[in-house]
């Protein structure tokens, strides 16, 4: 459910000073840094303290259930994007996971599908556009939402339409409450990863995002210049 958590591990393996520094992927850096510092201020005064409180007050098993619930909802847009990418087998897997976890797993609170060795994966419309041949465009930092690029930024609305919560029979305050819980849960997952950030935080997060998106779009297939390192480490999805 979160793009940056596996990416933080990935960038440690690939090296934060990778080929991204060579390519002109960030021509809008001056503007991006201003938005980044704004986001950092919001995070420091609002998001991070709330996330710390959430982690301190809410028991681990409840937080795990919350994460499972939102991950289960993510199976719907994943299945849709699998179909758009002509991956019917993967779409069937995501649909099957959603059906199992929504029923036997009590609305997704328990990840029964993983217990049955039905592997989870994630797809979004930005990845679909990449498969269709749409270039990513320059790196872009969005207010509040954080790292992105032009292609992924344009994909936000289609991703919004594919979110099952937006089609549920909920009152407006209920919808806002569930969305707030989702954001808080995502932020609390990053708390333990902050210590690995090295050097310039802006550049580090940018490189993490770019490498992560390349990894996701290629379905975990790493470019040749990184193959040797990954082969030696014998990584699997659970390690990330």
């Amino acid at each position: 459910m979160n793009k940056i958590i596996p990416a933080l591990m990935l960038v440690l393996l690939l090296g934060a000073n990778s080929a991204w520094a060579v390519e002109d992927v960030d021509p809008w850096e001056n503007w991006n840094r201003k938005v980044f510092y704004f986001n950092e201020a919001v995070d420091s005064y609002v998001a991070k303290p709330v996330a710390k409180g959430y982690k301190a007050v809410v028991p681990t098993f409840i937080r795990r259930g919350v994460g499972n619930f939102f991950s289960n909802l993510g199976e719907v847009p994943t299945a849709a994007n699998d179909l758009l990418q002509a991956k019917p087998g993967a779409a069937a897997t995501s649909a099957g996971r959603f059906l199992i976890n929504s029923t036997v797993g009590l609305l997704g609170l328990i990840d029964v599908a993983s217990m049955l060795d039905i592997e989870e994966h994630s797809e979004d419309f930005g990845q679909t556009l990449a498969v269709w041949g749409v270039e990513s465009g320059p790196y872009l930092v969005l207010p509040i939402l954080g790292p992105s690029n032009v292609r992924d930024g344009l994909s936000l609305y289609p991703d919004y339409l594919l979110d099952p919560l937006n089609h549920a029979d909920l009152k407006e305050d209920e919808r806002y409450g569930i969305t707030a819980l989702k954001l808080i849960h995502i932020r609390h997952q990053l708390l333990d990863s902050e210590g690995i950030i090295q050097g310039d935080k802006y550049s580090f997060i940018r490189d993490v995002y770019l490498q992560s998106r390349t990894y996701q779009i290629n379905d975990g297939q790493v470019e040749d210049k990184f193959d040797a390192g990954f082969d030696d480490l014998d990584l699997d999805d659970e390690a990330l």
Side-chain angles (χ1 to χ4, degrees), residues 60-76:
T60 301
F61 76 95
I62 294 180
R63 285 185 276 120
R64 184 180 297 114
V66 170
N68 290 340
F69 173 78
F70 287 118
S71 292
N72 186 52
L73 292 179
E75 300 289 357
V76 175

Side-chain angles (χ1 to χ4, degrees), residues 1-238:
M1 63 178 290
N2 193 301
K3 299 174 185 177
I4 288 187
I5 292 174
L8 286 171
M9 298 301 297
L10 179 64
V11 79
L12 290 180
L13 299 171
L14 302 187
N17 59 344
S18 66
W20 300 114
V22 179
E23 301 172 12
D24 186 19
V25 296
D26 193 7
W28 303 333
E29 181 174 350
N30 185 48
W31 167 257
N32 283 335
R33 282 187 178 271
K34 292 177 181 177
V35 179
F36 173 79
Y37 295 138
F38 167 78
N39 289 346
E40 284 288 285
V42 173
D43 183 69
S44 296
Y45 289 106
V46 181
K48 188 173 182 178
V50 172
K52 285 184 173 181
Y54 171 76
K55 183 176 182 179
V57 173
V58 180
T60 301
F61 76 95
I62 294 180
R63 285 185 276 120
R64 184 180 297 114
V66 170
N68 290 340
F69 173 78
F70 287 118
S71 292
N72 186 52
L73 292 179
E75 300 289 357
V76 175
T78 291
N81 280 290
D82 280 329
L83 289 175
L84 292 173
Q85 295 174 35
K87 300 174 183 176
T93 298
S94 293
R97 283 183 54 86
F98 180 75
L99 179 61
I100 293 171
N101 287 342
S102 298
T103 53
V104 184
L106 304 178
L107 299 179
L109 295 175
I110 304 173
D111 188 0
V112 178
S114 290
M115 298 177 189
L116 298 174
D117 293 328
I118 304 175
E119 294 187 4
E120 179 183 11
H121 69 285
S122 179
E123 298 286 346
D124 56 54
F125 196 68
Q127 291 168 259
T128 296
L129 289 180
V131 171
W132 291 352
V134 178
E135 296 294 330
S136 66
Y139 177 69
L140 178 65
V141 181
L142 299 174
I144 305 300
L145 298 177
S148 185
N149 56 48
V150 174
R151 180 184 61 212
D152 289 349
L154 294 175
S155 301
L156 289 175
Y157 186 63
D159 284 335
Y160 170 83
L161 294 177
L162 290 171
D163 188 340
L165 281 179
N166 296 315
H167 304 283
D169 186 17
L170 298 172
K171 297 179 181 178
E172 187 173 359
D173 56 342
E174 293 174 334
R175 196 181 307 278
Y176 286 142
I178 293 175
T179 300
L181 176 60
K182 180 178 181 179
L183 294 175
I184 293 169
H185 185 82
I186 290 173
R187 182 61 184 89
H188 110 278
Q189 291 179 299
L190 297 173
L191 291 174
D192 294 335
S193 303
E194 294 176 342
I196 70 174
I197 297 178
Q198 303 171 4
D200 177 39
K201 188 173 183 179
Y202 169 84
S203 298
F204 187 94
I205 291 177
R206 177 193 61 200
D207 294 347
V208 164
Y209 178 80
L210 294 173
Q211 293 184 31
S212 173
R213 288 305 277 167
T214 298
Y215 185 80
Q216 292 165 347
I217 289 166
N218 293 331
D219 291 334
Q221 299 299 313
V222 186
E223 294 181 16
D224 290 342
K225 56 187 174 184
F226 300 133
D227 278 346
F230 269 75
D231 290 341
D232 292 341
L233 289 164
D234 191 25
L235 290 177
D236 54 29
D237 290 339
E238 291 184 1

